Amino acid sequence: VKITETILRDAHQSLIATRMTTEQMLPIIEKMDKVGYHSVECWGGATFDASLRFLKEDPWERLRKLRAGFKNTKLQMLFRGQKSAANGIDIIRIFDALNDMRNLECAVKAANKEKAHAQVAISYTLGDAYTHEYYINLAKRIEEMGADSICIKDMAGLLVPYEATSLVTELKGAVKI
């Protein structure tokens, strides 16, 4: 299990409409880089258009500054585009909120073509249809699609620790990524 820190993208996107400037982020980067995170998700989602429309910043310059500051930590994004890899993104996290695999294939192929790490996120939810078998079948399809890794995206905070342990154990037994 690897930890991705999302404060530089999702936290301020969700809480303050992605209005943190690059200059507000830069002072903490050196400390964050020493924590030992697998990756820091710092780009994608609304960061691109918010930089342009509201902050009057060049989103590519933001990415280059973050890349320069994170010397030991991989940078990750929520899917935005192929040019991102050329400007410093290592891992592209690709997801569909409804787990519709048809919406992911093109993005995985594009990430693979750019030699970026294609991480597909399984959106976790609860309900009668969402069994371990359901998630294992998704994971197998994701692996066959050519993804490099799988992430469980628990945007609603529904995956409690004991269930996470059980589900991750079964997923690891079913796929190699």
Side-chain angles (χ1 to χ4, degrees):
V1 174
K2 299 174 183 175
I3 304 296
T4 297
E5 172 58 74
T6 63
I7 196 164
L8 296 182
R9 187 203 61 79
D10 193 38
H12 74 106
Q13 180 175 321
S14 297
L15 296 173
I16 57 172
T18 317
R19 298 303 190 267
M20 271 181 78
T21 66
T22 302
E23 294 307 313
Q24 290 171 322
M25 295 177 189
L26 293 178
I28 196 65
I29 289 175
E30 185 179 339
K31 288 182 180 179
M32 286 180 69
D33 194 38
K34 293 177 182 175
V35 171
Y37 296 121
H38 170 68
S39 62
V40 170
E41 187 173 291
C42 60
W43 217 67
T47 60
F48 191 87
D49 56 322
S51 291
L52 290 170
R53 292 191 308 149
F54 302 110
L55 302 175
K56 308 302 183 223
E57 293 185 353
D58 178 344
W60 302 111
E61 183 61 23
R62 172 186 282 195
L63 180 53
R64 288 188 289 269
K65 284 181 177 181
L66 294 174
R67 174 73 285 156
F70 281 104
K71 306 212 182 318
N72 303 302
T73 309
K74 293 179 181 182
L75 297 185
Q76 179 169 319
M77 69 178 289
L78 190 62
F79 182 69
R80 176 54 78 173
Q82 300 168 33
K83 192 173 176 183
S84 307
N87 281 281
I89 288 295
D90 302 299
I91 303 167
I92 298 177
R93 184 162 54 100
I94 304 158
F95 85 106
D96 179 86
L98 299 175
N99 292 322
D100 188 334
M101 296 295 114
R102 299 170 297 181
N103 293 329
L104 307 175
E105 293 178 60
C106 182
V108 169
K109 287 177 185 171
N112 289 339
K113 181 181 174 191
E114 296 299 316
K115 306 286 189 269
H117 181 101
Q119 180 182 86
V120 173
I122 293 174
S123 295
Y124 184 82
T125 192
L126 299 175
D128 293 341
Y130 305 105
T131 63
H132 283 207
E133 183 179 343
Y134 167 83
Y135 292 114
I136 288 168
N137 287 335
L138 284 177
K140 288 178 180 177
R141 290 174 62 195
I142 291 167
E143 185 172 56
E144 290 168 5
M145 188 183 297
D148 296 300
S149 66
I150 294 172
C151 167
I152 300 172
K153 183 171 177 54
D154 181 25
M155 54 270 195
L158 300 172
L159 186 57
V160 295
Y162 64 86
E163 177 59 19
T165 300
S166 176
L167 179 58
V168 169
T169 299
E170 287 189 44
L171 287 170
K172 288 176 84 169
V175 295
K176 293 179 175 50
I177 61 171

